[in-house]
Amino acid sequence: MKKRVILMGPPGGGKGTQAVTLKEAMKVPHISTGDMLRAARKAGTELGKKADAYISAGQLVPDELVNGIVAERLAQENDGFLLDGYPRTVAQADALEAAGQAIDAVVLIDVPDELIVSRIVGRVSCPGCGCVYHKETMPPKTDGICDKCGGTLVQRNDDREDVVRERLAAYHKQTQPLVDYYGKRGLLVTVNGNASVDEVFDQIRKVLEF
Ligand code: AP5
């Protein structure tokens, strides 16, 4: 049986960056609620239209909207997953538990607030394969083009400094209580996210024992 893992951490903490290599190493699907909501917004679905205002303002999308899409997605998985960006509130964690989704580990990538804004405002990512870059610290080989798949790199519209500060506030208020929630269940493992991408990956590999 493959592992069922939750990746947790502040916005810009490196969840998406680590997920690209982790999903291959663990041979499990990467399920990112941020990606799912952005895809819904791009497709112009009802959910996407409702989510847009929250995402653009740096606020969390209401639990009932997110719980529905995750439950539907997880119903298709029976052999491990890497959940990125969910759960993000105690109500979402309760919904996941109530759905009978047993979790093997919750990996918290811990990064101090002062690093977050510069990491996010410099980020560009590939909508095709999910690879993440930073214009200054981790640039692609060719400006604007993904090294891995040749796709055109984009900047997210919620990656403005004022919105990032809102996202960070939402993280502290609504998501950090999950540290206690999963700590009490003996599932939480914390890695130091203020290290190189390879070093963070190595820490995760060790705590997940693969
Ligand atoms: P989501 O897409 O989940 O965004 P997030 O959690 O804010 O996280 P990010 O994607 O910004 O950062 P990351 O941790 O993946 O960092 P990354 O690897 O890219 O959510 C977006 C919005 O959708 C939310 O605000 C909310 O509105 C909504 N939403 C989503 N899920 C929801 C839910 N469950 N409930 C309600 N609403 C929900 O790295 C960032 C930058 O840092 C990059 O430039 C990268 O190159 C660089 N970097 C990465 N690792 C390192 C390192 N080790 N050292 C130096 N730089 C690094």
Side-chain angles (χ1 to χ4, degrees):
M1 182 82 179
K2 291 175 189 158
K3 286 194 189 323
R4 296 163 164 232
V5 171
I6 293 170
L7 267 188
M8 217 182 113
K15 303 181 294 296
T17 300
Q18 294 300 329
V20 172
T21 32
L22 268 176
K23 70 175 178 192
E24 284 169 13
M26 293 169 61
K27 298 185 175 42
V28 294
H30 169 213
I31 302 172
S32 154
T33 44
D35 288 348
M36 289 161 87
L37 292 168
R38 281 184 289 278
R41 183 171 64 177
K42 196 169 171 200
T45 64
E46 272 313 302
L47 166 70
K49 285 179 198 157
K50 285 183 190 156
D52 182 41
Y54 296 98
I55 297 173
S56 305
Q59 294 164 4
L60 294 188
V61 175
D63 292 329
E64 59 276 17
L65 296 180
V66 185
N67 286 340
I69 54 165
V70 174
E72 221 172 86
R73 180 70 178 76
L74 289 183
Q76 300 163 26
E77 301 301 336
N78 54 15
D79 195 16
F81 52 71
L82 185 60
L83 258 183
D84 163 2
Y86 183 93
R88 239 171 164 109
T89 63
V90 169
Q92 292 180 14
D94 283 342
L96 190 65
E97 203 168 72
Q101 294 288 357
I103 300 299
D104 295 301
V106 178
V107 179
L108 169 66
I109 306 179
D110 193 26
V111 177
D113 282 8
E114 58 269 23
L115 294 184
I116 298 298
V117 174
S118 60
R119 273 197 186 187
I120 293 189
V121 296
R123 168 172 55 192
V124 284
S125 52
C126 177
C129 69
C131 275
V132 185
Y133 302 85
H134 188 283
K135 286 184 213 161
E136 282 154 27
T137 58
M138 275 185 271
K141 289 187 187 114
T142 307
D143 193 28
I145 303 294
C146 179
D147 293 350
K148 193 172 175 194
C149 74
T152 303
L153 302 178
V154 296
Q155 187 152 30
R156 280 166 40 181
N157 75 345
D158 59 340
D159 279 356
R160 294 194 334 256
E161 181 167 345
D162 54 332
V163 182
V164 174
R165 294 199 186 280
E166 288 297 325
R167 287 162 57 193
L168 203 47
Y171 173 74
H172 287 305
K173 191 170 171 205
Q174 292 166 277
T175 308
Q176 248 178 347
L178 295 180
V179 170
D180 258 8
Y181 185 100
Y182 286 117
K184 281 183 186 142
R185 285 159 175 76
L187 293 173
L188 189 82
V189 284
T190 304
V191 299
N192 174 18
N194 186 9
S196 75
V197 171
D198 289 348
E199 283 164 350
V200 176
F201 179 78
D202 213 41
Q203 292 178 62
I204 298 176
R205 197 181 50 71
K206 281 188 186 132
V207 295
L208 293 182
E209 299 171 343
F210 66 82

